[in-house]
Each structure stands twice: as C-alpha cells, then as structure tokens.
Amino acid sequence: MSAAAVLAGRGYAVTLLERGPALGGKLSGWPLRVLGEDVPMEHGFHGFFRQYYNLRALLAEAGADRDLRPLDAYAVLVRGRPVEAFGAGGAPFPLDLLQVLQRSPSLSLADVAGDRPGMRELLAYDPVRTFARWDALDVDAFVREGRLEGTFAELVLRPFGQASMNGLSRFSAAEAIRFFHFYMLGNPEGLGFDALARGVGPAVLAPLRAHLERLGVAVRTGAEVRAVPRRGPRRRVVLAAAGAPATVLAAAAVPEAGWADAGAAFVRRTAAGYEARDVRCTHLGCPVQRAPDGFRCPCHAGRYDLDGVPVSGPPPRPLATLPVAVDGDVLRIGGAAAGDEVVPADAVVLALDSRGLRALCAAGDLPRAAPRLAAAAAASGEADPYAVVRLWLDRPVDPARLPFYTVAGWPDTDSLAVYSAFQAPYVDWAARTGGAVVESHAYAIEPERRGSPDVLRDRLLAELRDIFPELAGAAVRHDEAMVQDDFTRFAPGDAARRPTVASDVPNLVVAGDHVQLPFPAFLMEAAAASGRLAANHLLAADGVREVPIPTVSWRGPLADVLS
Ligand code: FES
C-alpha cells in the first residue's frame, strides 16, 4: 500500500494484487457477529508508535489517522512488581534515561550503571559495529556477556524483546539492540504510542483503500500471485488458478455419513456420489480442521458449517468444491485447474511476508533470473507461533487499570489489551452489560507449550484471572482464539542473508518488514518504510523525483564514543 501510494502519486498506473479478501496483511481486520452484535476483529492489538514516521505519513495523507488515540503510558506488568509506566518522554539523551529511572518504582541507577558492558552496547547502536560484534549471539547470551542480569533485564530488556515476537533464546542480540534503539533511544518521541478507537477495518483499511483508489490504483483482492515470469523486457504477474493438487483415496475410507480427511481435501458421500472440498481456508489459505459443527480455521478463528459455508470470521467464500472422479474402488480428488490469468507489468514490487516471498521466489523463472533474491528468500523464516485470544467477560476490569500492558513473569501471557477501555463498540458493550472485553497475547510459544487455539485460550484465560484478580470469577460469554506463525524471524545470522529492496533484476523490487533496511525500523514501520524505499528505487531508475523517507537516528547516542 505504501509503495502503491508513492508510485500512483507520481503518475504511474498501479495494480495492487492482494490474496486475501481485505488489504492490510498483519494489520488486517474483519467484521464479526458476536452475541447478536456486529463487532470488528483484527489480527491482534497494534500500537502505533509516534516514530512510525512513514506509516503515519501514509495514514495522514489517506485520512486514516483520525481514530488514533494516545494511550497514557507504555506499561510493563512484571509478576510480583509494581507496574512500570514508560511514557512519551520527549527529553533528549541522557535525560530520557534519567527520567525513566526517576519515575520507575523498581529501577535505580545501580541497575544500569557500573561494570555493565551490555548497557554501553544498548546506548551505542551502530549498524556496522553492532552487527559485527553481536549478530552471532542471541539475547540470552547478550544479557550474560553484557552483565545485564537483574532488574533492568527483567523489567525492560526481556519484556521489550519478547514484543518483537521472537523468543529471546533465538533473537539476534544485534537485532535486539537495534530494536531497543528504535523504540527507546533513537527517537525524540520516547515510547509514546496510540491505539485505534475503532476497528482497524473501518478506521484504517477502508480509508487507505479509498485513498489508493482516488490516486488511481486498481485494487484487486482475492488475487493470489503464483509466479512473476519475464516476457521480453516486461514481467508478467500470473495469478493462481483455482484447483488443488490431486489426491487419491480408497472409496471405502469415506464413511456413510460425515466428512473424511483426504490429504488436501475433505470428502463425503452424497445421494449422487461424492462431494469434495479443498482444505484451504478461503481467507488466506491455512488448512482448516474438522470440528463437531463444521470446520474451523486456526489462523484467524474462521468458522464454516458442515456444508463448508462460512458462518463466522474472515473467510469470504465457502470452501472450494473439488472435482471427484470415481475410478473403480478409488477416488481421484481435485487436480483440475482453470487457465491462468496474466497481468503484464513494467515493474513489480514484491510486498509479501517472508513465507509468501519464499514460495514465489521458488516458482517460475525467479530462481534463475534472480538467484540472489531467491537465495535470500529461501534463507528467511518465521518466528515461533503466537496466539491471540479475545474474551468477552461478564465482569468489569478494575477501572484503575491501564488499557494496555506488556506482561512478564507468567508462562504464556506477553501482553493484555483491555478493548472495552479504548475501542468502539467494545466500550459501549461493556457499559451496557457490565462486562469487559480483554485480548491476551502469547508470543514466541516454545515447542513444549504449543497447542490448539482452544488449549491456548484456556491457559491464557487462567493466567488472566491471576493477573487481573477482579476477573477470577468472570464467566466467558464469547471468545475468539487464533494461533499463527507469520511474524518475521530475526535469528542470529539472519541479518546478512535478508533480502534487500533491490533485487538482481532492475524492474523487480522487494518490500516488507523482513527486508534489510539501512536505518532502524521494525514491524509496521519497517513494512511502510520499505514500501517507500522500493518505490523510490523504481522512481530513481526512471529519473523521477523520489519521496523523502524520515527515520529515527541511525546510530545510538554513544555510538561515537564506543567506536
Ligand atoms: Fe484466516 Fe483462515 S486463513 S481465517
């Protein structure tokens, strides 16, 4: 979206192809009907930090920033400690750090001063030296080697690091130093951030799409790109045709009633023979699972009835029907595909997440035409899975609580967002019913703690009752639970292998929060800034004026001293 806005703004004819039914990627949202009311749901709580300069510029030009509301503090709730509230300081270094120490009920100068080489490293981020020194190590090793154990690591470093969605034993220490610099020291805004007072769909994505369309961008959703081959000087974008790989199943394996699993399909008997449905969710393609009342998608809690018709969540269409051929005792399911649709293009911006880029770069002529990009994409990966659970409860949250907490000290919970404290229509629902709506997140779930959305929901609910004791006796009136693994991995050694904006092919550029950037940026801001960089790359090749890319400071306040 960010690249499309820049290019369309400079007069290019832009087609934006999105696989899902709505724009936004990891910022996406969808409507739900819960307890008889229409409510917005989203991929998870997002904090719009003030140093997200490129994202916020895009939102401002689209009029999509009107529902951003400042939250008073970035609060960290560590088990057994008073709440730490990091605010929008605004003071320059080192006053910002002193301000944090002065306001903190637990941190003191002794926790950051003295013989702590790691503290100097945090204050001296440098894109070259930091990565040369620390990218081979993980955060746990950095805490040990930097002698950072103690209150600072417990209250600041570990909770913030976990918010990257990367488990600390697998998170590059250099990336963590960059993360710390980007969020805490590299910007004059401090840790001030805003949350959306309405759902992300109506508040952000609808005005963004309208803005793109006003600029002349042809936005096509439900358009899955399968390959980007070259034909002459131009590239062609090939859209995936319907269909699924063929599956063969013994007819006897299909019961008299109900669905049978058949690899990439489900199959059941009908009066006329057999009927098969694709297992891929019609939202973003996650394999759905059978449930007593139909099918359930674990990724965004999409639900289908027993006929494969969506009844809740983001899936826009019924599960695709696949052809079934009866061949003696054997059923051949799927395998038929309609013809490809081709979109010609002078240039292509591949704005995908790491998994999508990996799949696309393994297809068609890209491994040969762009071997450096294909190798970078193949080496990329996703962080450990995470869970998002939203709970509609019949009791209120203590009104003294803040709307959002980063949490540490409980086995699963990493953050809590009290939706009924800041977002419509949840505020209104809570006022009318005397209840509360709380969203709980678990990040970077360790292998031994993984489970289905229901298992994670039960554990997060039990922890919520402990963290907010006023909810100990609360009944759950409704829940939405999802488990996904689509966040970018920042493991030791990944940095140098990451794709760059420019690829081996002049008219093929890359954007996304996993792309190497010359300046510090993460998450939504990395996505937005990389989109502008990618657009600039194409503009520069055509001799067209580029757009400015505002950033936080590129180096830490002590970078020169340590160098
Ligand atoms: Fe999103 Fe299934 S992939 S609900």
Side-chain angles (χ1 to χ4, degrees):
M1 287 189 281
S2 139
V6 169
L7 291 166
R10 290 285 192 264
Y12 287 73
V14 179
T15 302
L16 195 161
L17 301 168
E18 162 61 45
R19 175 191 187 181
L23 301 179
K26 284 174 264 197
L27 185 61
S28 198
W30 52 92
L32 276 183
R33 188 130 183 105
V34 172
L35 304 172
E37 303 188 22
D38 293 321
V39 295
M41 183 67 198
E42 57 205 28
H43 200 270
F45 175 82
H46 288 273
F48 292 77
F49 287 82
R50 313 262 160 80
Q51 71 272 35
Y52 286 7
Y53 305 127
N54 293 282
L55 176 73
R56 294 180 72 122
L58 175 65
L59 299 187
E61 76 189 33
D65 59 351
R66 298 190 185 121
D67 289 295
L68 288 175
R69 300 283 182 277
L71 294 190
D72 288 341
Y74 189 97
V76 181
L77 198 166
V78 179
R79 190 173 201 157
R81 298 235 183 218
V83 170
E84 293 285 334
F86 299 99
F93 179 81
L95 293 179
D96 51 355
L97 204 59
L98 293 172
Q99 226 171 38
V100 166
L101 295 177
Q102 191 212 348
R103 287 179 191 158
S104 168
S106 302
L107 282 168
S108 71
L109 199 55
D111 297 310
V112 298
D115 183 20
R116 297 179 185 277
M119 188 57 66
R120 289 196 298 278
E121 295 290 341
L122 288 172
L123 298 171
Y125 168 71
D126 177 88
V128 176
R129 198 194 55 79
T130 299
F131 276 83
R133 171 71 181 88
W134 293 105
D135 191 45
L137 295 182
D138 62 38
V139 175
D140 286 337
F142 172 67
V143 168
R144 273 195 312 276
E145 289 200 15
R147 293 195 278 283
L148 288 171
E149 290 98 341
T151 315
F152 177 76
E154 186 194 349
L155 291 185
V156 181
L157 206 51
R158 292 185 180 282
F160 277 112
Q162 193 80 354
S164 72
M165 319 294 252
N166 280 251
L168 300 186
S169 61
R170 293 174 293 285
F171 187 20
S172 151
E175 293 286 7
I177 295 169
R178 197 165 69 114
F179 194 80
F180 188 84
H181 171 79
F182 175 64
Y183 283 101
M184 296 199 80
L185 288 170
N187 71 86
E189 291 85 1
L191 263 177
F193 76 109
D194 302 297
L196 285 169
R198 290 194 300 148
V200 69
V204 170
L205 300 172
L208 260 180
R209 180 173 181 153
H211 173 61
L212 292 172
E213 288 175 337
R214 271 195 306 276
L215 288 170
V217 176
V219 178
R220 289 183 57 184
T221 51
E224 180 182 344
V225 174
R226 191 166 62 74
V228 191
R230 197 164 84 100
R231 178 63 60 85
R234 305 181 96 190
R235 299 205 82 79
R236 306 180 321 149
V237 181
V238 180
L239 300 186
T247 307
V248 177
L249 185 74
V254 185
E256 285 306 317
W259 294 93
D261 294 316
F266 301 107
V267 60
R268 70 177 174 185
R269 294 178 193 269
T270 64
Y274 296 91
E275 175 189 7
R277 296 300 179 102
D278 198 325
V279 297
R280 290 173 298 179
C281 180
T282 56
H283 179 220
L284 292 175
C286 290
V288 303
Q289 295 153 0
R290 284 197 288 143
D293 53 353
F295 302 92
R296 182 171 178 178
C297 179
C299 288
H300 311 97
R303 291 186 173 87
Y304 300 81
D305 68 13
L306 280 168
D307 293 320
V309 175
V311 290
S312 175
R317 293 181 303 282
L319 293 173
T321 301
L322 300 175
V324 184
V326 183
D327 185 359
D329 294 344
V330 162
L331 307 179
R332 294 185 194 284
I333 302 161
D340 288 337
E341 183 188 345
V342 173
V343 180
D346 293 310
V348 177
V349 181
L350 297 177
L352 300 105
D353 62 12
S354 49
R355 181 175 282 125
L357 186 69
R358 209 159 53 240
L360 197 59
C361 285
D365 71 347
L366 280 184
R368 265 179 295 108
R372 193 169 53 79
L373 170 62
S380 70
E382 290 69 45
D384 290 325
Y386 62 97
V388 173
V389 174
R390 191 174 292 189
L391 299 154
W392 282 250
L393 302 157
D394 70 350
R395 302 245 173 114
V397 165
D398 180 343
R401 296 212 184 274
L402 297 167
F404 176 79
Y405 293 94
T406 286
V407 176
W410 281 266
D412 292 300
T413 310
D414 287 302
S415 75
L416 291 173
V418 184
Y419 269 74
S420 47
F422 65 86
Q423 191 173 94
Y426 296 108
V427 177
D428 176 57
W429 183 85
R432 277 188 285 114
T433 64
V437 179
V438 180
E439 188 169 283
S440 178
H441 295 183
Y443 303 138
I445 305 170
E446 298 286 344
E448 66 278 9
R449 297 200 66 80
R450 291 179 194 163
S452 69
D454 287 350
V455 167
L456 267 300
R457 176 204 56 211
D458 291 348
R459 291 216 306 261
L460 288 170
L461 174 61
E463 289 185 9
L464 174 64
R465 290 184 159 134
D466 191 36
I467 299 167
F468 289 176
E470 68 271 28
L471 298 177
V476 177
R477 300 194 57 197
H478 180 81
D479 72 84
E480 292 287 317
M482 41 206 193
V483 176
Q484 298 179 72
D485 65 343
D486 55 4
F487 265 86
T488 299
R489 186 188 71 197
F490 294 101
D494 275 351
R497 295 191 290 260
R498 221 173 276 296
T500 51
V501 164
S503 79
D504 327 45
V505 178
N507 62 354
L508 191 67
V509 291
V510 186
D513 65 8
H514 54 97
V515 168
Q516 272 186 40
L517 295 173
F519 46 80
F522 279 92
L523 303 173
M524 293 191 281
E525 174 63 2
S530 67
R532 287 165 79 95
L533 266 183
N536 271 353
H537 192 82
L538 299 176
L539 295 178
D542 284 347
V544 179
R545 184 168 52 86
E546 298 169 45
V547 294
I549 301 189
T551 67
V552 303
S553 66
W554 286 36
R555 302 173 76 226
L558 297 188
D560 286 334
V561 179
L562 212 60
S563 291

Short mmCIF file of all heavy atoms in Angstrom, two decimals, residues 281 283-286 297 299-300 302 314, ligand 1:
data_model
loop_
_atom_site.label_atom_id
_atom_site.label_comp_id
_atom_site.label_asym_id
_atom_site.label_seq_id
_atom_site.Cartn_x
_atom_site.Cartn_y
_atom_site.Cartn_z
N CYS A 281 -8.41 -22.69 3.68
CA CYS A 281 -9.34 -21.64 4.08
C CYS A 281 -9.44 -20.61 2.96
O CYS A 281 -8.42 -20.26 2.34
CB CYS A 281 -8.83 -20.99 5.37
SG CYS A 281 -9.86 -19.67 5.98
N HIS A 283 -9.92 -17.59 3.30
CA HIS A 283 -9.36 -16.30 3.71
C HIS A 283 -7.92 -16.21 3.21
O HIS A 283 -7.67 -15.60 2.18
CB HIS A 283 -9.44 -16.13 5.23
CG HIS A 283 -8.85 -14.86 5.73
ND1 HIS A 283 -8.10 -14.78 6.87
CD2 HIS A 283 -8.89 -13.60 5.22
CE1 HIS A 283 -7.71 -13.53 7.04
NE2 HIS A 283 -8.19 -12.79 6.06
N LEU A 284 -6.99 -16.87 3.88
CA LEU A 284 -5.59 -16.77 3.45
C LEU A 284 -4.94 -18.14 3.28
O LEU A 284 -3.71 -18.25 3.28
CB LEU A 284 -4.79 -15.94 4.46
CG LEU A 284 -5.14 -14.45 4.50
CD1 LEU A 284 -4.38 -13.74 5.61
CD2 LEU A 284 -4.87 -13.78 3.16
N GLY A 285 -5.75 -19.17 3.18
CA GLY A 285 -5.20 -20.45 2.75
C GLY A 285 -4.71 -21.38 3.84
O GLY A 285 -4.15 -22.43 3.53
N CYS A 286 -4.89 -21.05 5.12
CA CYS A 286 -4.48 -22.00 6.17
C CYS A 286 -5.33 -23.26 6.04
O CYS A 286 -6.52 -23.18 5.70
CB CYS A 286 -4.72 -21.42 7.56
SG CYS A 286 -3.62 -20.07 7.96
N CYS A 297 -10.88 -22.72 11.16
CA CYS A 297 -9.55 -22.31 10.72
C CYS A 297 -8.78 -21.78 11.92
O CYS A 297 -9.24 -20.85 12.58
CB CYS A 297 -9.66 -21.24 9.64
SG CYS A 297 -8.02 -20.71 9.11
N CYS A 299 -6.09 -20.05 12.02
CA CYS A 299 -5.28 -18.83 11.85
C CYS A 299 -5.98 -17.56 12.31
O CYS A 299 -5.38 -16.72 12.95
CB CYS A 299 -4.84 -18.70 10.40
SG CYS A 299 -3.58 -19.92 10.00
N HIS A 300 -7.25 -17.39 11.93
CA HIS A 300 -7.96 -16.18 12.36
C HIS A 300 -9.35 -16.54 12.87
O HIS A 300 -10.29 -15.76 12.75
CB HIS A 300 -8.08 -15.16 11.23
CG HIS A 300 -6.79 -14.89 10.52
ND1 HIS A 300 -6.44 -15.51 9.35
CD2 HIS A 300 -5.75 -14.11 10.85
CE1 HIS A 300 -5.23 -15.12 8.98
NE2 HIS A 300 -4.79 -14.27 9.87
N GLY A 302 -11.62 -18.41 11.75
CA GLY A 302 -12.71 -18.54 10.78
C GLY A 302 -13.48 -19.84 11.03
O GLY A 302 -12.89 -20.86 11.39
N PRO A 314 -13.19 -14.17 9.07
CA PRO A 314 -12.86 -13.52 7.81
C PRO A 314 -13.09 -14.33 6.53
O PRO A 314 -13.05 -13.72 5.46
CB PRO A 314 -11.37 -13.20 7.96
CG PRO A 314 -10.85 -14.10 9.01
CD PRO A 314 -12.00 -14.47 9.88
FE1 FES B 1 -7.63 -16.53 8.01
FE2 FES B 1 -8.49 -18.98 7.70
S1 FES B 1 -6.68 -18.11 6.90
S2 FES B 1 -9.42 -17.43 8.84
#
